[in-house]
Amino acid sequence: MSTDHLSATFAALADPTRRAILARLASGAASVAEIGKPFEMSAPAVTKHLKVLQRAGLITQGRQAQWRPCRLEAKPLHDVADWVEQYRRFWEQSLDRLDEYLQQLQTKEKEDGRTE
Amino acid sequence: MSTDHLSATFAALADPTRRAILARLASGAASVAEIGKPFEMSAPAVTKHLKVLQRAGLITQGRQAQWRPCRLEAKPLHDVADWVEQYRRFWEQSLDRLDEYLQQLQTKEKEDGRTE
């Protein structure tokens, strides 16, 4: 298992519950109890997910004794966007080709319809 | 382990060798032997990585008997870009706040320098 930052980030994102936790935190900091509420999950299960997100730097947890809010961190998400951006030209070309192909199919269908 | 598409994609991307393979394929289709060359890796190790990428839909492999080229597929990369895009406003605001903070520090340093 590699421990480079980007690999840790992608591994942490490879779970729908963890992605849902990030979506929740995008609208503001929240306590562990608040984060766990919508998932009907045991506190230890929530804590385990939060630890994975924390190790990947995607969230940080405050140190106030009572309310230790978790916060979303921008940097790893920005790194993911930077990484995938290098493939933009690739997928735009691919989708353009698919579009052309579908238009050709439609044109052909219309022509076939006319000659039948 | 969840088997939703996005989770499978992120899990496949959580390895630097697999990301390097995708970067290689972005410049054109390649055979398994060609893909393995720069990594000084055994053929079974390369095949294992390719299978993970294939299951995630990130690559496809041709069916010609001799040269079975692997190709990069656009859709999962586009899905990753779509997913991370929803956080753009979040990280732009965070980076703006960091920028403001650093400018305040610099201004303060200059002022302190003047009054010393």
Side-chain angles (χ1 to χ4, degrees):
Chain A
M1 218 352 236
S2 163
T3 53
D4 67 291
H5 285 301
L6 206 48
S7 295
T9 303
F10 281 130
L13 296 177
D15 182 281
T17 304
R18 288 198 290 269
R19 293 197 302 278
I21 291 172
L22 296 182
R24 163 67 188 82
L25 294 177
S27 64
S31 71
V32 176
E34 284 168 338
I35 293 167
K37 221 173 265 176
F39 298 110
E40 298 183 10
M41 211 184 269
S42 70
V46 174
T47 304
K48 209 176 148 190
H49 280 311
L50 293 177
K51 273 189 185 157
V52 176
L53 292 170
Q54 219 170 339
R55 273 200 300 268
L58 282 157
I59 66 168
T60 49
Q61 194 169 14
R63 296 198 168 274
Q64 290 106 312
Q66 296 300 319
W67 192 66
R68 300 185 55 205
C70 294
R71 280 173 215 287
L72 187 58
E73 291 296 324
K75 174 105 185 21
L77 292 169
H78 193 210
D79 291 344
V80 167
D82 270 354
W83 180 84
V84 82
E85 187 59 31
Q86 65 184 315
Y87 292 97
R88 176 177 294 277
R89 217 176 52 172
F90 175 80
W91 80 65
E92 281 180 350
Q93 284 172 350
S94 298
L95 296 175
D96 283 352
R97 276 197 300 273
L98 184 65
D99 224 41
E100 265 172 43
Y101 175 70
L102 292 176
Q103 277 176 7
Q104 281 170 7
L105 275 189
Q106 281 182 332
T107 311
K108 199 177 172 306
E109 267 176 21
K110 272 184 204 158
E111 284 172 0
D112 288 354
R114 251 182 252 133
T115 53
E116 261 163 28
Chain B
M1 222 347 240
S2 165
T3 53
D4 67 293
H5 285 300
L6 206 48
S7 295
T9 302
F10 281 130
L13 295 177
D15 182 281
T17 304
R18 288 199 290 269
R19 293 197 301 276
I21 292 173
L22 296 183
R24 163 66 188 84
L25 294 178
S27 64
S31 70
V32 176
E34 284 169 338
I35 292 167
K37 222 173 259 174
F39 298 110
E40 298 183 11
M41 211 185 268
S42 69
V46 174
T47 304
K48 209 175 147 189
H49 281 311
L50 293 177
K51 272 189 185 157
V52 176
L53 292 170
Q54 220 170 338
R55 272 199 300 268
L58 282 157
I59 66 168
T60 49
Q61 195 169 12
R63 296 198 167 273
Q64 289 104 314
Q66 297 298 320
W67 192 65
R68 300 185 55 204
C70 295
R71 281 173 213 287
L72 187 59
E73 291 297 324
K75 175 104 185 20
L77 293 169
H78 193 211
D79 291 345
V80 167
D82 270 353
W83 180 85
V84 83
E85 187 60 31
Q86 66 183 315
Y87 293 97
R88 174 177 296 278
R89 216 176 54 170
F90 175 80
W91 81 65
E92 281 180 350
Q93 283 173 350
S94 298
L95 296 174
D96 282 352
R97 277 196 301 272
L98 184 65
D99 223 43
E100 265 174 43
Y101 175 70
L102 292 175
Q103 277 176 8
Q104 282 171 4
L105 275 188
Q106 281 181 336
T107 310
K108 197 177 173 307
E109 267 176 21
K110 272 185 203 157
E111 283 171 1
D112 289 354
R114 248 181 253 135
T115 53
E116 259 161 29

